[in-house]
Amino acid sequence: MPRSRRNWPEDNEKLRTAFPRFAELAEARPVHVADIQAVLGNDEAFTAFTLGDKDSFLFVIRKQDAYLFKLNLTRAQAADTVKSLRAALENDTPVDVLKAYQFYQTLLGPADALIAGVKSLIVSPDGALQSLPFAVLVTQPTTGTIAKPSDYQAVAWLIRRQAVTVVPAASSLAALRRYAEEKHGTDPFVGFGDPVFDGSGSKRGIDTASMYLGAEVMPVQLRRLPRLPETADELRAEAKILGASETSLHLGPNATVTALNHLDLSNTRVLSFATHGLIAGDLPKLGEPALALTPPARPTPDDDGLLRASEVSRLKLDADFVILSACNTAAPDGTPGAEGLSGLAKAFFYAGARSLLVSHWPVASEATVKLTTGLIQTNASDPGVGRAEALRRAMLAMIDDTADGAERAHPFFWAPSSSPARAARAGKPGSGPTTSWMMAISPVLFLCFYCAFRAFWCTRPAFPRAAGGTADAACHDRKINKLHRI
């Protein structure tokens, strides 16, 4: 066996000793149902999916109960549906609301009676489901046809019913909620935006392949990105809401990688980037995602105008909230085998962020300004609701806005941002400023939860056994197309 592999157990033990919290989040360890119930509120429901080639399952945990459902869905079918829905969502074309309703029925319909009345629905997705904003699922059939943008205002989007948050695994939820009450940075805000570009346009995220020669950035070409002057106003509004001074803003020629690297961010509570974002594969030979900042007159190995994920991971953060107000900072398009969350988002998590607001597709800049400032304003004025509910309210305000023929009611404008999951429940001290969008470090976390849940279910004496069979046989043989209480 290679020496590096022989040392894995020893290295893992060193990691657990030196960084116990990171190890708890990153390592694949079983989690008990009771551990999840201990951190859930009475108005919350935790749902976890596991997709298979033949069978898929939905787990639902409430404060006092736990349930398991078998879904009429395969991994391949889920990927096909997600790609179909995303094609309309990210291109501002008519959305098949019937398909969105049917997909809700497939995914969550079996548990509708358990989750419909909760204020917060926490989702741990699997496979292609990581690429779908659950907010766009439809809970009730839509009458009539969608002929104009205002027709989307009458659609029963899931986000109308409840806040929807996302976690990668049950173990992440349990671990991060235990850390919710700790005190963190005292500096309220730092923002980077409105980099110096010379191009035109209003969308964050464009075809930039022509701007590169091999793997090297050409700053002159990078400057041809569209300028986003409204991002300066976005960051100024965020700073004002959070009580930060003008010195917290790094705009225009000051929005550089060099300026970022010279800052001590270890005491900053909220860090915001409002610019263009790229993911790995967007550009030839670009092997990692990046944020576009002001390109230097003369590029250096430390600053060529792009803040790459590898550079982000080396930052020292202790941030309650990081806003990536750029395109494609969440997940790819649902292609089977694609990474569930972009490396850029994960890099901020590794660097010390406890919450992230990320985007699933290239976003309309003006709409993004409304969402991010609306989220922060709502959370500042009513911190007890948590950021997931604050984002929900910002989304609903956009859906119900009648300006310009209710154009922004289309989910292209309001749905790309993923809800951050609260690390503390609403109503608890500290639940306002401390929230967590918990990134997936390893899919094994989910598998461990599945195994622990299955073991708990199959060995529990109270579970009814099949006649003449063992508890395990009952687990394998029993039809679970209908609700079963654990």
Side-chain angles (χ1 to χ4, degrees), residues 2-190:
R3 183 179 183 278
S4 60
R5 291 193 177 185
R6 292 199 306 269
N7 291 342
W8 279 358
E10 179 182 346
D11 292 340
N12 285 339
E13 185 58 37
K14 290 180 180 178
L15 177 66
R16 284 192 292 269
T17 301
F19 306 100
R21 298 176 187 176
F22 178 84
E24 187 169 4
L25 295 173
E27 287 189 326
R29 291 176 177 268
V31 60
H32 295 286
V33 174
D35 293 333
I36 304 303
Q37 292 175 326
V39 298
L40 283 179
N42 292 323
D43 58 353
E44 294 181 308
F46 173 79
T47 60
F49 295 88
T50 180
L51 301 179
D53 294 334
K54 295 182 179 180
D55 296 321
S56 297
F57 297 91
L58 166 65
F59 305 95
V60 180
I61 301 180
R62 296 292 307 275
K63 185 67 175 177
Q64 304 297 332
D65 300 288
Y67 303 84
L68 174 66
F69 302 88
K70 182 176 180 180
L71 303 180
N72 185 24
L73 181 71
T74 66
R75 181 179 294 272
Q77 290 170 340
D80 288 343
T81 303
V82 169
K83 292 192 72 172
S84 176
L85 288 173
R86 277 186 58 115
L89 293 171
E90 61 185 278
N91 292 310
D92 194 12
T93 56
V95 177
D96 189 340
V97 294
L98 175 59
K99 179 174 288 187
Y101 168 68
Q102 292 171 338
F103 204 36
Y104 172 84
Q105 290 299 314
T106 299
L107 293 174
L108 294 168
D112 188 76
L114 298 171
I115 65 176
V118 301
K119 293 181 179 179
S120 176
L121 178 66
I122 304 169
V123 180
S124 177
D126 185 30
L129 299 181
Q130 297 174 81
S131 302
L132 179 72
F134 273 66
V136 302
L137 295 178
V138 177
T139 61
Q140 298 292 332
T142 301
T143 58
T145 59
I146 304 296
K148 55 187 183 300
S150 60
D151 292 335
Y152 290 112
Q153 294 177 327
V155 175
W157 305 111
L158 180 58
I159 198 65
R160 279 207 178 275
R161 193 176 72 183
Q162 56 211 159
V164 182
T165 63
V166 179
V167 299
S171 52
S172 306
L173 175 65
L176 284 172
R177 284 200 167 179
R178 285 198 294 272
Y179 306 145
E181 303 305 323
E182 299 182 357
K183 296 183 181 298
H184 301 296
T186 56
D187 295 338
F189 181 78
V190 169

Side-chain angles (χ1 to χ4, degrees), residues 191-260:
F192 281 78
D194 188 23
V196 177
F197 303 128
D198 299 330
S200 60
S202 60
K203 182 185 289 187
R204 303 182 198 184
I206 59 173
D207 181 8
T208 53
S210 62
M211 301 192 315
Y212 285 74
L213 179 63
E216 299 298 325
V217 178
M218 299 179 66
V220 173
Q221 300 298 324
L222 185 59
R223 290 184 185 276
R224 295 179 183 174
L225 280 166
R227 186 80 181 255
L228 301 170
E230 68 280 358
T231 62
D233 295 332
E234 175 183 349
L235 294 172
R236 289 191 183 99
E238 293 172 1
K240 182 178 180 180
I241 294 169
L242 294 171
S245 67
E246 282 285 328
T247 59
S248 67
L249 300 175
H250 302 267
L251 307 174
N254 297 319
T256 65
V257 174
T258 297
L260 177 70

Side-chain angles (χ1 to χ4, degrees), residues 456-466 471 474-475 478 480 484-486:
F456 173 83
W457 175 33
C458 294
T459 58
R460 186 180 180 186
F463 188 85
R465 302 187 177 201
C475 290
R478 180 175 297 274
I480 53 175
H484 281 274
R485 180 173 176 176
I486 303 300

